[in-house]
Amino acid sequence: DLINGRTKVVAVSHCSNVLGLVRDVGSVSDLVRERAPPDCQVVVDGVAAAPHVLSAPRGPDWYAVSLHKMAGPHLGCLLGRRGAALRLERDAEGTAAAAGETSDDEAIYGRWERGTASHEACAGAAALGDYLASIARWRPGGDDDGDYGGGGGDILGRAREAVRRAEDELTAALLGRLRGSSPLVRVVEAPPGGMRVGREDAGGGRIRRVPVVCFVHPSVPSGR
């Protein structure tokens, strides 16, 4: 009911930084496309999810992350669909003006590149590629597969799988210990129907949660 013919922007988080559950933003985007006008934009806050899923999900027009959450510099990053950027440009300038005198590339660069960014931050952002490549080489047991070829293969996909394996093992151990330690310890879960989670990430695999766990104990007030 909240999405109708007057909706212009739908903004959601990719995952909860309290419960650790990953929202099915692909389904959210599908719902928006069905019910909202064609110019409605879907914006996803990926700050809490990006270090774990390492990719933007399918569906949204815009995906915002903070690179320092991914072991990078203090630099914000906004990923956007080319069509969404051009649509905003033309809405601002008028379709005829935007299309008549500038190319699409010029329109995007002129609107979105604002001056000179921090050179140090840009260097740090570029170095994230090397960091992800080192994660992609990781194998269970801490071994390195020795592939230092740089850009060869699906580095992002391999890094995603390495992160997922490590996090799944640690999270399962933590949840198992908390749930079996004492009847007084309660792991906080999402309420029924409160959050649709876990269809798939950009790599095609199911992700239901990131390694964030919230639990309570009656003798420890949460306000402390």
Side-chain angles (χ1 to χ4, degrees), residues 10 12 24-35 42-44 57-61 81 199:
V10 173
V12 298
D24 185 357
V25 294
S27 291
V28 172
S29 299
D30 290 343
L31 181 64
V32 173
R33 305 288 182 250
E34 293 171 5
R35 298 188 179 182
V42 179
V43 183
V44 174
R58 68 162 192 88
D61 298 290
R81 293 184 180 278
R199 181 162 66 182

Side-chain angles (χ1 to χ4, degrees), residues 48-220:
H52 312 285
V53 302
L54 295 183
S55 57
R58 68 162 192 88
D61 298 290
W62 304 96
Y63 192 80
V65 300
S66 295
L67 295 185
H68 73 275
K69 296 287 189 177
M70 303 177 68
H74 282 264
L75 187 67
C77 178
L78 179 64
L79 306 177
R81 293 184 180 278
R82 183 181 183 84
L86 287 172
R87 188 160 63 245
L88 287 180
E89 167 68 18
R90 288 165 180 166
D91 287 346
E93 302 294 340
T95 302
E101 298 181 4
T102 61
S103 68
D104 287 349
D105 286 343
E106 289 173 331
I108 292 176
Y109 300 153
R111 175 67 65 179
W112 296 98
E113 291 189 0
R114 291 300 189 186
T116 303
S118 163
H119 294 294
E120 297 85 353
C122 290
L128 270 178
D130 295 333
Y131 173 65
L132 291 175
S134 71
I135 294 178
R137 294 191 296 267
W138 179 85
R139 291 294 177 268
D143 296 329
D144 190 312
D145 69 4
D147 179 7
Y148 292 88
D154 180 13
I155 290 178
L156 188 59
R158 293 167 60 191
R160 184 189 301 113
E161 283 304 311
V163 168
R164 184 180 300 176
R165 286 196 302 268
E167 292 182 344
D168 284 353
E169 181 178 351
L170 293 172
T171 304
L174 175 59
L175 287 172
R177 185 63 180 269
L178 288 173
R179 288 167 174 160
S181 61
S182 167
L184 297 177
V185 174
R186 179 174 65 87
V187 176
V188 180
E189 307 282 2
M195 185 176 183
R196 182 175 179 180
V197 298
R199 181 162 66 182
E200 64 181 32
D201 67 358
R206 293 180 67 84
I207 296 181
R208 296 192 63 84
R209 70 179 307 140
V210 298
V212 175
V213 177
C214 179
F215 64 94
V216 294
H217 190 287
S219 67
V220 183

